[in-house]
Amino acid sequence: MRSESDLTAEILEPVDMALLEPVYPFNEPGQEIRLYAGRFAGPGVSTVSGAVWMSCGSQFRVRWKLEGEVPTSWQFRAIGADEVTIELARPGGNVEVTGRYRTLDDGTLNGSTLGRADSVLSHVIVHWMNLPDVQRGRGRWRFSVGEWDVVLEPRPDHETVWEALGFDPRIAMTHVMSITRGDGALFIAEEVRVMLRALHFGVSFAFGRWVPPALPVGFSPAGVAVWEEWGPLFCDPGRNASMAWLDHEHVDDLQALLDCVLAAFEDPQREDIARHLLSRAVEANHTGRVEQRIMTAFPAIEWLCWVELKLSGKMSGAKYKELSTASRIETLLSAANIPTDVDPGAQPVLAAYASAKSETGTPLSGAQVTTRVRHQLVHAKSPFEEVYTTDGLLTEAWLLTRHYLVLLLLKWLGYAGRYQAALGPSGSSGHDGPVPCSVRADPDA
């Protein structure tokens, strides 16, 4: 991407971290974040006042609204239209953004980029939403991900705001982050977008809910904001989710995970696969009813089987087709040294079901029993089948399916840190240690 020689020739002094502040002020939970107020130009008008803000209530989205009387020309052009293009007067020149109408004088904006993708930057400031205090009161966290140096700092009143978010499912800016090149070199905006996507998907995967690095602002070497992105990124309510497989205080493991995710996102052969699997793993934690969570996680495991067994060339197409769905999953689990038995101590209902449905006297394996539950959901013949009438069965099947997806995904990413299982009725089996040895990138680590 950096074909210009001057990007690597000029080495900058590190950003003064004493000056690390958000570009947009910290908000209270649910309070809007004002992004722009000034002149709009739109359908048939040259001057009209308006505002753009990030809505942080029950939904995380960019909104726009005209202020004052709506010009007749604007009304005329807006009637019957779905999309709107608005021109904003910015210090560096006018910028066009596109969105949709809600009424004649307000609506939403699509993901908008302000500035050129090849803008030369020295650093980027990012605003994190609904992120827990990963440093547990220790303040600033400095770390690196790939070629990037990162500083993450919580807001001064994080503890108070986080407590409020626990009672009110709204959105608040909880951290500010600075991103620079590790060697101090300049870079272009398009390069950091990959890093931002890796942060969004990686942190969300680790904590079991969508946590966005929002409103990135890129600065030129002269300290001028020349690039921004306003986007309605996925964002869930702030909470210390019991379904997180990584304790948010294990920052070394979080850093190791982000290295793995960034490497996948930087690989054109792996990026789309990584985004799909990571999003499935996040959504499988809380989306809809338990049946929906199973139906979110299980196809992701099937796709990972295809990627690892067939697409990689480890197995011929004919051999792959010969195997049943459960056998493919069993093959992948065994290769990763992931236990395939259902633990009756952690999952008593599912273990009893696995024994009752066995025709050989040996309980069904975890791959077999989760596949059976999934098939009964897809091909249900009666609302009174056991998967619906056996209390706790679907929940335990969901937890085991999710457990398999997370571990197999960690194996595919090459992660070698801690893993916290969540298999029991309370959401956690109490296990908090390294992932199974052959799942880890370095079995001797």
Side-chain angles (χ1 to χ4, degrees):
M1 293 293 296
R2 292 184 293 165
S3 59
E4 300 291 336
S5 60
D6 62 338
L7 294 187
T8 55
E10 181 174 352
I11 304 299
L12 302 175
E13 292 298 321
V15 175
D16 184 356
M17 291 300 108
L19 302 178
L20 185 59
E21 294 181 355
V23 175
Y24 299 104
F26 291 118
N27 67 325
E28 295 301 316
Q31 180 186 18
E32 68 182 45
I33 299 173
R34 183 63 64 96
L35 305 178
Y36 174 86
R39 186 177 66 80
F40 276 23
V45 300
S46 58
T47 303
V48 61
S49 296
V52 180
W53 69 93
M54 180 67 80
S55 176
C56 295
S58 58
Q59 293 183 318
F60 192 54
R61 62 173 63 181
V62 183
R63 302 285 302 274
W64 64 268
K65 183 174 178 60
L66 302 186
E67 296 178 341
E69 184 177 353
V70 181
T72 302
S73 56
W74 183 292
Q75 296 183 41
F76 179 76
R77 295 291 184 89
I79 294 174
D82 290 327
E83 294 190 349
V84 59
T85 298
I86 302 172
E87 189 175 294
L88 309 178
R90 302 275 292 178
N94 292 356
V95 177
E96 285 190 349
V97 294
T98 60
R100 303 186 70 84
Y101 289 102
R102 189 183 71 90
T103 66
L104 292 181
D105 64 347
D106 79 337
T108 59
L109 290 183
N110 305 327
S112 303
T113 299
L114 289 70
R116 295 165 54 95
D118 60 356
S119 297
V120 178
L121 309 178
S122 64
H123 66 286
V124 174
I125 296 296
V126 184
H127 308 79
W128 280 87
M129 307 293 169
N130 289 5
L131 182 67
D133 184 5
V134 296
Q135 284 286 78
R136 182 62 81 174
R138 294 190 294 272
R140 197 170 285 175
W141 178 30
R142 302 169 185 261
F143 62 105
S144 62
V145 179
E147 297 181 358
W148 302 96
D149 278 354
V150 180
V151 175
L152 179 69
E153 186 168 336
R155 60 188 290 167
D157 58 346
H158 185 282
E159 183 176 359
T160 300
V161 170
W162 188 251
E163 183 177 1
L165 288 172
F167 291 97
D168 189 359
R170 295 182 181 272
I171 297 166
M173 188 193 307
T174 55
H175 292 73
V176 59
M177 171 183 280
S178 172
I179 302 176
T180 59
R181 277 290 186 185
D183 58 4
L186 299 175
F187 53 95
I188 61 174
E190 183 60 30
E191 291 179 297
V192 80
R193 294 182 71 188
V194 179
M195 171 64 166
L196 292 170
R197 288 196 296 270
L199 288 172
H200 188 197
F201 281 75
V203 173
S204 299
F205 172 53
F207 295 160
R209 58 183 178 83
W210 288 113
V211 188
L215 304 174
V217 181
F219 290 84
S220 71
V224 178
V226 294
W227 175 82
E228 292 189 51
E229 282 196 340
W230 297 345
L233 301 177
F234 297 132
C235 183
D236 287 325
R239 58 181 181 270
N240 291 323
S242 61
M243 294 309 302
W245 62 264
L246 179 65
D247 190 315
H248 68 264
E249 294 182 38
H250 292 160
V251 292
D252 290 343
D253 293 307
L254 179 58
Q255 179 181 358
L257 172 70
L258 293 175
D259 272 327
C260 296
V261 174
L262 179 61
F265 275 55
E266 290 179 332
D267 184 345
Q269 302 298 318
R270 304 178 73 208
E271 180 183 7
D272 287 343
I273 298 172
R275 292 179 68 174
H276 176 81
L277 293 174
L278 289 168
S279 61
R280 287 272 188 164
V282 176
E283 296 294 334
N285 286 335
H286 51 73
T287 300
R289 300 171 64 88
V290 175
E291 294 94 327
Q292 292 171 281
R293 300 176 195 180
I294 294 173
M295 297 307 298
T296 297
F298 198 90
I301 295 176
E302 291 183 288
W303 199 36
L304 193 51
C305 286
W306 181 78
V307 169
E308 283 286 81
L309 300 178
K310 173 62 174 64
L311 190 63
S312 67
K314 297 175 183 176
M315 189 176 290
S316 68
K319 178 61 177 176
Y320 187 80
K321 288 182 179 179
E322 287 178 4
L323 296 178
S324 66
T325 299
S327 296
R328 294 169 187 166
I329 298 174
E330 191 98 36
T331 300
L332 213 58
L333 293 172
S334 297
N337 198 33
I338 298 171
T340 58
D341 294 336
V342 181
D343 182 359
Q347 298 190 296
V349 179
L350 193 64
Y353 183 77
S355 294
K357 295 303 175 183
S358 171
E359 298 178 355
T360 64
T362 301
L364 299 179
S365 68
Q368 291 172 324
V369 73
T370 53
T371 301
R372 183 184 181 92
V373 170
R374 182 264 186 187
H375 286 349
Q376 285 194 282
L377 291 176
V378 174
H379 306 292
K381 299 178 181 179
S382 167
F384 304 106
E385 292 186 13
E386 288 173 289
V387 289
Y388 295 110
T389 59
T390 304
D391 189 31
L393 179 60
L394 283 178
T395 297
E396 292 186 6
W398 157 56
L399 290 172
L400 186 57
T401 304
R402 173 191 173 274
H403 172 71
Y404 287 159
L405 174 58
V406 171
L407 281 180
L408 290 173
L409 182 47
L410 291 176
K411 163 70 173 178
W412 183 76
L413 288 170
Y415 171 78
R418 294 182 183 88
Y419 169 78
Q420 178 173 279
L423 291 170
S426 63
S428 174
S429 68
H431 169 76
D432 180 11
V435 295
C437 62
S438 68
V439 172
R440 301 162 64 192
D442 179 4
D444 298 322

